[in-house]
DNA sequence: CGGCCAACCTGTGCGC
DNA sequence: TGCGCACAGGTTGGCC
C-alpha cells in the first residue's frame, strides 16, 4: 500500500487510538518479518505509553515514555487496522503478525501478507545512528527540501530520473506511483539522466513533488487493491492519477494528444507520456 | 563509489 | 476449474 501519503494517512489514523495510550498487551505471532522482531519486544513495550507518533519517509516512529521508539514499515502489503474496545472484533487472519492492545481496550493489528514490512524497537536517543534511518534524504513536506540542495543532489548522477527519485537518499518518501505522477506534472521524461536535466527544470520538480504528495494526503492516499485507512477507509487519490496505471489512455495534459505508455525501468513499471515528457 | 539486478514473500488476475 | 505466468505501493545486499 504505502508511499509517503499512505503512510501519513495511516499515522494520522493511529493518533487518536494510540497517542498518550498505554500498552497493555503485545502479541507476536511469528519470529520475524523482513527483519526479526526484537526478542524483548513484549517486555519493553507492555506498560509503556506512546508519547508521540512521527513519520520519517515511509517509516512510522512511535516514541514511548521509556525512551524506546517503535519503528514500523509497511513494505509492499503491510496494513494497520485499529479496532475500538467496543467495536466488533474481526477474527485474526493468518497474516496478522503483531497485535498491540492498549489499556483502553483498543487493538492495533499489523497485517502483512508479503512480509516485506518490519517492526522493531530502538532506544530513541540512538535514532541518528540507526542504519535504517540515517541515510534517508530530506522530508519533502518540510523546510529541508529545497531547490538548491535538490539541484546539488542530482549533480553527477548518471541514472535516469526515475531511479534517482526512487532513491530515498535523494528525497524521502516517493515510490513508484508518486515518482510517475511528479515527473508527468513536471513534463520530465523518466529516462532522462539526472545530470542532464536543466537546472530550472530540476528546480521546478521541488514544489511539484511537494504538491503531488500533499494532494494525495488530502485524498487519504491511493487505494490500489485494498484499504489504506486504519479503519478500512479507502483513499481516493487513485482517481486523480494522470499517468500511473493508465497505459494506452490519452495524456491528460491540455493540447498534448499523446498516449500514456508503460516501460520497465530498474525492474519496475514506469508510466509516462512520450509526447510531452522530455 | 555509483549503478543494476536479484532476492525477499504471497496474492490476484488473466490467458489457455 | 485448474495451471502457469506476469505483476504488485519497497528495500537491500552482492556484484561489476
Amino acid at each position: 500500500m504505502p508511499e509517503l501519503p499512505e503512510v501519513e494517512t495511516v499515522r494520522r489514523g493511529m493518533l487518536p487510538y494510540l497517542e498518550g495510550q498505554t500498552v497493555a498487551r503485545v502479541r507476536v505471532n511469528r519470529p520475524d518479518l523482513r527483519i526479526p522482531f526484537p526478542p524483548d519486544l513484549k517486555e519493553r513495550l507492555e506498560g509503556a505509553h506512546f508519547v508521540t507518533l512521527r513519520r520519517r519517509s515511509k517509516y512510522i516512529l512511535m516514541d514511548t515514555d521509556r525512551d524506546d521508539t517503535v519503528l514500523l514499515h509497511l513494505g509492499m502489503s503491510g496494513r494497520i487496522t485499529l479496532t475500538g474496545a467496543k467495536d466488533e472484533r474481526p477474527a485474526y487472519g493468518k497474516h496478522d503478525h503483531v497485535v498491540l492492545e492498549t489499556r483502553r481496550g483498543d487493538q492495533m493489528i499489523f497485517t502483512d501478507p508479503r512480509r516485506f514490512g518490519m517492526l522493531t524497537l530502538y532506544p530513541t536517543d540512538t535514532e541518528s545512528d540507526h542504519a535504517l534511518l540515517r541515510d534517508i534524504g530530506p522530508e519533502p513536506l518540510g523546510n529541508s527540501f529545497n531547490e538548491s540542495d535538490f539541484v546539488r543532489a542530482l549533480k553527477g548522477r548518471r541514472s535516469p530520473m526515475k531511479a534517482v527519485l526512487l532513491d530515498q537518499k535523494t528525497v524521502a518518501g516517493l515510490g513508484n506511483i508518486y515518482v510517475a505522477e511528479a515527473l508527468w506534472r513536471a513534463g520530465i521524461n523518466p529516462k532522462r539522466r539526472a545530470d542532464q536535466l536543466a537546472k530550472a527544470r530540476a528546480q521546478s520538480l521541488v514544489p511539484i513533488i511537494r504538491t503531488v504528495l500533499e494532494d494525495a494526503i488530502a485524498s487519504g492516499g491511493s487505494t490500489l487493491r485494498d484499504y489504506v485507512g486504519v479503519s478500512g477507509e479507502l483513499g481516493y487519490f487513485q482517481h486523480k492519477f494522470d499517468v500511473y496505471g493508465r497505459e494506452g489512455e490519452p495524456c491528460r495534459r491540455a493540447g498534448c494528444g499523446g498516449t500514456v505508455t508503460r516501460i520497465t525501468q530498474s525492474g519496475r513499471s514506469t508510466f509516462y507520456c512520450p509526447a510531452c515528457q522530455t
Side-chain angles (χ1 to χ4, degrees):
Chain A
M1 142 176 81
E3 299 180 37
L4 186 152
E6 292 74 38
V7 175
E8 179 61 18
T9 299
V10 169
R11 186 190 71 88
R12 291 180 187 184
M14 291 165 77
L15 284 173
Y17 289 89
L18 296 176
E19 204 168 69
Q21 300 304 314
T22 304
V23 180
R25 218 158 62 89
V26 178
R27 276 187 49 169
V28 183
N29 295 327
R30 54 171 295 122
D32 55 38
L33 289 177
R34 219 187 74 212
I35 60 172
F37 295 123
D40 56 355
L41 180 70
K42 198 175 158 69
E43 301 86 89
R44 282 166 73 183
L45 228 42
E46 287 181 349
H49 78 254
F50 293 118
V51 180
T52 328
L53 269 61
R54 297 173 290 138
R55 181 191 51 73
R56 175 78 173 105
S57 191
K58 301 170 192 171
Y59 293 92
I60 290 172
L61 308 176
M62 309 162 73
D63 298 317
T64 74
D65 62 334
R66 290 184 181 169
D67 302 315
D68 274 329
T69 296
V70 176
L71 176 151
L72 191 64
H73 194 288
L74 301 174
M76 292 278 264
S77 58
R79 317 247 127 76
I80 298 292
T81 311
L82 282 152
T83 44
K86 293 178 295 185
D87 294 346
E88 199 80 20
R89 282 281 151 71
Y92 293 128
K94 63 171 166 171
H95 300 303
D96 294 342
H97 307 306
V98 179
V99 180
L100 298 189
E101 186 169 324
T102 66
R103 213 163 264 175
R104 242 182 7 188
D106 298 337
Q107 286 193 352
M108 180 195 107
I109 304 170
F110 182 20
T111 311
D112 185 8
R114 291 181 73 181
R115 308 207 301 270
F116 291 164
M118 35 186 153
L119 186 155
T120 187
L121 198 58
Y122 60 87
T124 309
D125 62 4
T126 65
E127 184 163 307
S128 53
D129 299 326
H130 200 291
L132 294 170
L133 301 174
R134 71 182 169 214
D135 297 324
I136 296 174
E139 278 299 317
L141 305 184
N143 299 328
S144 60
F145 185 51
N146 61 73
E147 279 84 350
S148 50
D149 287 346
F150 185 66
V151 166
R152 213 166 303 144
L154 299 189
K155 263 207 158 68
R157 301 209 51 181
R158 306 167 63 85
S159 299
M161 283 303 294
K162 161 71 180 265
V164 169
L165 293 183
L166 228 32
D167 183 348
Q168 301 297 296
K169 294 195 217 22
T170 312
V171 52
L174 295 175
N176 211 31
I177 292 176
Y178 298 103
V179 166
E181 295 300 312
L183 287 173
W184 181 84
R185 289 191 186 192
I188 295 169
N189 192 308
K191 292 187 284 191
R192 176 166 294 276
R193 266 173 52 163
D195 60 358
Q196 289 172 354
L197 182 66
K199 186 177 172 188
R201 304 184 72 206
Q203 288 172 330
S204 77
L205 211 34
V206 168
I208 286 172
I209 287 170
R210 201 174 283 137
T211 33
V212 78
L213 296 173
E214 283 169 354
D215 289 353
I217 292 170
S219 297
S222 303
T223 305
L224 260 42
R225 44 186 67 72
D226 256 297
Y227 54 82
V228 286
V230 296
S231 312
E233 325 83 270
L234 302 179
Y236 52 94
F237 191 74
Q238 67 277 13
H239 302 303
K240 304 185 181 180
F241 288 167
D242 288 305
V243 281
Y244 187 85
R246 296 190 62 244
E247 184 182 16
E249 293 178 43
C251 177
R252 290 217 160 112
R253 200 181 314 276
C256 171
T259 301
V260 177
T261 303
R262 183 167 78 114
I263 59 171
T264 297
Q265 287 181 291
S266 34
R268 324 205 39 200
S269 287
T270 293
F271 297 89
Y272 77 112
C273 172
C276 65
Q277 291 182 250
T278 58

